[in-house]
Amino acid sequence: MDISGIGVGRNVAVGPVIRMAAPLQEPSKAPRAVGVSADEEMARVQESMKTINADLQRRAEAAENGDKGTQQAAPILQALAQMAADPALLDTIKKGVDDGKTAQRAVFEGFASFEQTLSALGGYMAERAGDLHDVGQRVIADLEGVPAPGLPQSDKPFVLVAEDLSPADTAGLDMEKTLAIVTSQGGPTSHTAILARARGLVAVVSAAGADDLSTGQTVIVNAAEGSVTIDPSDDEIAAANAAKAQADKAKELRGKPGALKDGTLLPLLANVGKPEDADPALEYGAEGVGLFRSEFLFLGNEQPPSVEVQTAAYIKLLSRFPGKKVVIRMLDAGADKPLPFLTPGDEPNPALGLRGLRSLRQHMDVMNAQLDALVAADAQTDADLWVMMPMVTDEHEAEYFVRLGKSKGLKKVGVMAEVPSIAFMADKVAKVADFVSIGTNDLTQYTLAADRTLGSVADYQTAWHPAVLRAIKMIADAGNANGMPVGVCGEAAADPDLAVVLAGIGVNSLSMTPVALDDVRAELAKYTMDEAKDKAAQALDGAFYHPTRWDFEQQ
Ligand code: PEP
Ligand code: MG
């Protein structure tokens, strides 16, 4: 039997399920049963605390002997083990038991009072309060004879099944043992999905049927298909292992330039949100940065950052890519990225209001400061800096920004194509801009008039719609006719199948979240340019777009 959900990534995993145990109920305040002495109850507490201490010690030792990543967990596990043997804590619990409380209640209250003390100390100690709570829950679970809540512990690799994972759970995942994650809740942009994508973990989220999976069942988790097969046959396991071997092969091309089967080059670049993200970009073999979202410098601030602060951040990024292309986007304030000092709070339709270039035009001081910082950073580094403006409507706005950027001393100045009007005017834009980068997230939202932040119209948010692909084609055709590079930097570039279509349409580079690079690189290598063109022709004709919501038969 299969369960379906939303797959994250393309890989496949096979293994036994371990369900994440549900949180424990708070132990009852009712007094202990008559006839159970304090000594007997306290003996139970000591036994459970000893069990948990030994378990944590054992895991700490195993972590110490593990690989580098696992070794980091050893001191934390040691500290937790000590918590479970703390004599002062035992004293407090004993007082509760002497007062007639059950072992569970006395443990619950004893740990809670220590947690409060730690929280009050603030800083590092306060962070440990959560760990202490975790130990307390384990002791209570042991007393009750139920599985410990939170992340399961296992010596063998397993498929983690949960309703959803909290950020703390995901941070604590043992990457050595977790073969895959299956959750019944959460969508493609949930915390779990983002983490799985960032760590390259196989995951299927939003799989409603996952609630029926039980610990010990063998499953195949197929992220490419968004499916979970329960109790698979030997043949199905063999096929899954073959698919996994095939998906693992995607990594083999890492470090090679993006190219089609016939050798046609298609540079694969990384989307980067802050300078530190250069690490994953380089790790996954990005040939440069195709989109640096400069908003991170501005978001959460009351004021725009100074030229000096910005320059330092740009230098930090650029210095990681000597000799390579780095495309930095000018501040895209407004709509889904509002900034208190730039964005009016009373726009009824912010996506159609002052955002990107429109916002910066109203705040020339901010625009000039950013350009000055970019020029200063460029002068001090060896990357090939390209700068682009978001939310540009036509050739007039494009020419305005290109001239402004060049007057400051920038060498490559271009625009993003996010508004359909720029596609209609692409032949003229291609004559004034150094390059165009297509932001398919916004181009889709504006082409289909569907707010990208609104769940009720989320079905429209797909660049597979032939209207979006035709807009992309208009821009690519104009670029190729005028020798102007056209890239794609929206989510569409991260979809391996769509990447092939974009190559066939004539796009010159693709930029995506770094972990998507392996799969896109591998998929492109399977097609010649002629085959990609063929696939593109079908896609432009709507062959891969299925508008099921208007299927009359299903009304
Ligand atoms: C886009 O719109 O496709 C894009 C890359 O920009 P953002 O998602 O940051 O708006
Ligand atoms: Mg955009």
Side-chain angles (χ1 to χ4, degrees), residues 329 332 337 355 416 418 442 452:
R329 169 172 81 187
D332 185 19
K337 312 172 190 86
R355 67 170 295 194
M416 286 188 79
E418 301 182 291
D442 277 312
R452 66 191 264 194

Side-chain angles (χ1 to χ4, degrees), residues 125-182:
M125 295 313 273
E127 282 169 29
R128 300 282 72 80
D131 296 337
L132 190 62
H133 181 79
D134 184 56
V135 176
Q137 293 287 295
R138 281 170 195 277
V139 176
I140 296 170
D142 190 70
L143 283 165
E144 292 184 351
V146 298
L151 289 176
Q153 305 305 328
S154 167
D155 298 331
K156 303 217 173 66
F158 60 93
V159 171
L160 178 63
V161 177
E163 228 174 67
D164 204 358
L165 299 179
S166 71
D169 292 333
T170 46
L173 275 184
D174 179 348
M175 297 299 290
E176 296 275 293
K177 301 276 159 50
T178 316
L179 294 168
I181 306 175
V182 178

Side-chain angles (χ1 to χ4, degrees), residues 196-218:
R197 208 171 282 125
R199 294 199 180 174
L201 250 177
V202 180
V204 173
V205 300
S206 200
D211 287 339
D212 298 330
L213 290 170
S214 25
T215 297
Q217 273 180 320
T218 299

Side-chain angles (χ1 to χ4, degrees), residues 466-544:
V468 179
L469 296 177
R470 288 174 191 207
I472 295 173
K473 184 172 186 311
M474 287 168 118
I475 303 163
D477 285 350
N480 289 325
N482 289 278
M484 177 199 68
V486 173
V488 169
C489 66
E491 286 298 308
D495 174 337
D497 297 317
L498 200 40
V500 174
V501 168
L502 294 171
I505 285 179
V507 158
N508 314 124
S509 66
L510 299 173
S511 188
M512 65 206 76
T513 177
V515 285
L517 286 162
D518 284 341
D519 290 338
V520 169
R521 196 183 291 110
E523 194 65 20
L524 289 171
K526 294 182 194 162
Y527 294 82
T528 63
M529 184 47 108
D530 281 345
E531 288 163 347
K533 279 186 177 159
D534 208 46
K535 209 172 160 191
Q538 293 178 55
L540 286 160
D541 195 36
F544 307 120

Side-chain angles (χ1 to χ4, degrees), residues 111 145 179 199-200 217 235 269 288 293 311 323 334 349 381 412-413 417 442 498 539 549:
F111 272 85
L179 294 168
R199 294 199 180 174
Q217 273 180 320
D235 283 354
L269 310 158
R293 293 183 162 99
T311 307
N349 293 302
T381 48
K412 282 268 187 192
V413 187
D442 277 312
L498 200 40
R549 60 184 175 281

Side-chain angles (χ1 to χ4, degrees), residues 160-521:
L160 178 63
V161 177
E163 228 174 67
D164 204 358
L165 299 179
S166 71
D169 292 333
T170 46
L173 275 184
D174 179 348
M175 297 299 290
E176 296 275 293
K177 301 276 159 50
T178 316
L179 294 168
I181 306 175
V182 178
T183 65
S184 52
Q185 307 282 318
T189 56
S190 66
H191 187 83
T192 310
I194 290 168
L195 171 111
R197 208 171 282 125
R199 294 199 180 174
L201 250 177
V202 180
V204 173
V205 300
S206 200
D211 287 339
D212 298 330
L213 290 170
S214 25
T215 297
Q217 273 180 320
T218 299
V219 288
I220 296 172
V221 185
N222 188 326
E225 288 174 5
S227 68
V228 180
T229 308
I230 307 167
D231 296 331
S233 66
D234 289 349
D235 283 354
E236 285 172 320
I237 292 181
N241 284 330
K244 178 167 168 42
Q246 182 69 28
D248 284 343
K249 272 183 87 139
K251 287 194 199 124
E252 287 172 13
L253 291 177
R254 200 182 282 178
K256 300 233 161 67
L260 297 178
K261 195 169 156 189
D262 54 18
T264 312
L265 291 176
L266 190 74
L268 300 180
L269 310 158
N271 289 357
V272 166
K274 47 187 185 321
E276 297 76 44
D277 294 346
D279 287 335
L282 290 165
E283 184 193 333
Y284 285 94
E287 295 166 63
V289 172
L291 167 64
F292 175 74
R293 293 183 162 99
S294 62
E295 293 77 43
F296 97 98
L297 281 163
F298 297 78
L299 290 169
N301 291 345
E302 296 296 311
Q303 295 294 325
S306 65
V307 172
E308 292 70 32
V309 165
Q310 288 192 60
T311 307
Y314 301 140
I315 287 177
K316 200 166 165 193
L317 174 75
L318 293 169
S319 56
R320 303 295 305 278
F321 296 93
K324 293 191 176 154
K325 173 167 143 183
V326 175
V327 185
I328 297 187
R329 169 172 81 187
M330 294 291 289
L331 174 63
D332 185 19
D336 57 322
K337 312 172 190 86
L339 285 179
F341 50 90
L342 292 185
T343 314
D346 57 354
E347 292 180 330
N349 293 302
L352 305 182
L354 291 179
R355 67 170 295 194
L357 173 62
R358 302 170 185 189
S359 163
L360 286 176
R361 272 288 306 152
Q362 304 253 325
H363 297 274
M364 286 304 290
D365 50 337
V366 178
M367 173 127 74
N368 282 319
Q370 188 170 21
L371 287 169
D372 290 343
L374 287 166
V375 171
D378 190 25
Q380 295 174 60
T381 48
D382 298 321
D384 179 16
L385 173 64
W386 297 24
V387 176
M388 65 183 179
M389 178 59 82
M391 196 72 183
V392 172
T393 321
D394 56 27
E395 75 278 17
H396 303 295
E397 290 185 354
E399 186 176 11
Y400 165 79
F401 179 63
V402 173
R403 289 184 62 179
L404 176 64
K406 296 231 160 144
S407 74
K408 295 270 186 187
L410 290 173
K411 295 174 211 86
K412 282 268 187 192
V413 187
V415 296
M416 286 188 79
E418 301 182 291
V419 188
S421 58
I422 204 166
F424 295 126
M425 305 312 294
D427 55 332
K428 290 186 182 287
V429 174
K431 299 213 162 58
V432 294
D434 289 340
F435 69 98
V436 169
S437 180
I438 305 176
T440 47
N441 308 336
D442 277 312
L443 184 62
T444 307
Q445 122 160 309
Y446 293 123
T447 301
L448 300 169
D451 186 336
R452 66 191 264 194
T453 65
L454 215 53
S456 56
V457 288
D459 274 1
Y460 289 90
Q461 202 50 225
T462 167
W464 280 104
H465 196 297
V468 179
L469 296 177
R470 288 174 191 207
I472 295 173
K473 184 172 186 311
M474 287 168 118
I475 303 163
D477 285 350
N480 289 325
N482 289 278
M484 177 199 68
V486 173
V488 169
C489 66
E491 286 298 308
D495 174 337
D497 297 317
L498 200 40
V500 174
V501 168
L502 294 171
I505 285 179
V507 158
N508 314 124
S509 66
L510 299 173
S511 188
M512 65 206 76
T513 177
V515 285
L517 286 162
D518 284 341
D519 290 338
V520 169
R521 196 183 291 110

